[in-house]
Amino acid sequence: MTSSWRVTGGSISLRRPLLMGVVNVTPDSFSDGGELPTIEAAVARGRRLAVDGADIVDVGGESARPGAEPVGAAQELDRVLPVVRTLVDDGLLVSIDTTKAEVAEAAVAAGAAIINDIGGMGDAGMRAVAAASEAGVVVMHMLGTPRTMQDDPRYDDVVDDISRFLTARCEALLAEGVDSARLVIDPGIGFGKTVEHNLEILDRLADFATLGYPVLVGASRKRFLGTITGRERPADRDGASAAAAACAVMRGAMAVRTHDVSRTLEAVQVAWAIVRGEGAPWAPVVAEGATPG
């Protein structure tokens, strides 16, 4: 597996796991919808995440909660582009969380270094945008769409089925000319999965690492953690989210997506020290010109 992740402007070292902090510029996100009602509030959140230790700030303008209605590209662009531009101007490493080629293309032009597509790069237009850019790419698995994904999700073998999906989507990107060093895979915790599916994915996460790409896990504040802990409000699941992130790192994840960076950072630092068998200081991750978060 590669020791770095190629993104626009350089490469991010994978000498230790990456923390991706979440900025939802949406009124209806499952975890924090409406908390960032203005561009200024969203920018402030991104800056705070970076101060707390985020290596990447992930900006999204469309809710992916179960049952969510789609948002038009123009509205999504109005939400995310000013935030992306400002955070990039601040010197932060920014990813754009979108399923739309038009949004991804504009965000990359505005300086986003990574395209994070919960649609798994299934859209030919999105693959073309990825191929035409130098951006890093997160290829995620989702069963169906946000509107349908939790309608009785079923798999023959959840890990094997998702592995085949991710392999096929990565091969499609390679065929378009995207360098394998730009690809990161995400099994899509909570996106068309039952509690049992999510737990099995986390338990068998090492199987995904054998596919040859770094693995990102986004379990933060997901419903299955509320089922386990009895925490109804997503914002009350940050302790459980940090525990899931630590477990993911111990199973081979090289990046975790989180709403609470400071709490997750400490959990992941301890998990990484256990994996490495040493308590060395948390190392810088950026090399070859990419901008640190």
Side-chain angles (χ1 to χ4, degrees):
M1 186 183 299
T2 180
S3 61
S4 62
W5 182 12
R6 281 192 55 203
V7 301
T8 303
S11 299
I12 314 172
S13 170
L14 295 175
R15 285 176 289 172
R16 52 89 165 162
L18 305 174
L19 268 67
M20 176 184 279
V22 179
V23 176
N24 288 319
V25 196
T26 59
D28 58 346
S29 170
F30 85 96
S31 64
D32 53 9
E35 284 189 7
L36 306 176
T38 65
I39 299 302
E40 292 76 16
V43 168
R45 173 68 61 84
R47 290 169 173 163
R48 180 73 255 171
L49 293 171
V51 169
D52 288 344
D55 303 296
I56 302 162
V57 178
D58 191 44
V59 178
E62 180 176 30
S63 175
R65 64 179 173 79
E69 294 291 336
V71 171
Q75 184 177 17
E76 189 175 342
L77 284 166
D78 285 344
R79 291 174 176 178
V80 300
L81 275 186
V83 180
V84 170
R85 287 195 186 101
T86 304
L87 294 178
V88 169
D89 287 345
D90 284 350
L92 305 187
L93 192 66
V94 176
S95 63
I96 180 65
D97 177 0
T98 186
T99 61
K100 298 181 181 66
E102 179 180 350
V103 175
E105 184 175 35
V108 169
I114 297 163
I115 302 168
N116 181 14
D117 180 15
I118 67 169
M121 288 281 156
D123 176 67
M126 183 69 91
R127 293 195 300 273
V129 169
S133 75
E134 297 180 353
V137 178
V138 179
V139 183
M140 197 196 83
H141 174 271
M142 175 169 54
L143 189 66
T145 68
R147 292 186 66 186
T148 65
M149 63 187 181
Q150 291 306 116
D151 295 345
D152 192 26
R154 294 173 183 260
Y155 301 87
D156 292 331
D157 180 294
V158 66
V159 173
D160 289 348
D161 291 358
I162 295 171
S163 294
R164 284 193 292 271
F165 171 95
L166 292 172
T167 297
R169 291 297 173 84
C170 287
E171 288 176 349
L173 286 161
L174 296 177
E176 296 275 357
V178 177
D179 191 324
S180 62
R182 291 168 53 196
L183 303 181
V184 166
I185 56 174
D186 179 350
I189 295 290
F191 286 84
K193 283 90 177 176
T194 64
V195 172
E196 292 74 22
H197 291 148
N198 292 323
L199 294 175
E200 184 171 357
I201 289 167
L202 288 171
D203 187 42
R204 296 173 57 191
L205 202 63
D207 290 1
F208 294 105
T210 66
L211 299 180
Y213 304 98
V215 178
L216 181 149
V217 169
S220 184
R221 296 184 177 178
K222 294 293 175 67
R223 184 179 300 175
F224 83 105
L225 297 174
T227 300
I228 294 168
T229 62
R231 299 284 189 179
E232 294 290 335
R233 294 177 62 248
D236 292 335
R237 301 172 189 160
D238 286 339
S241 300
C247 290
V249 165
M250 295 186 75
R251 291 291 202 273
M254 288 308 301
V256 293
R257 186 175 183 272
T258 178
H259 298 82
D260 185 341
V261 169
S262 59
R263 190 180 309 201
T264 303
L265 173 60
E266 291 190 356
V268 168
Q269 284 176 319
V270 173
W272 188 238
I274 293 169
V275 169
R276 299 274 293 174
E278 61 182 47
W282 198 238
V285 299
V286 176
E288 300 179 17
T291 305

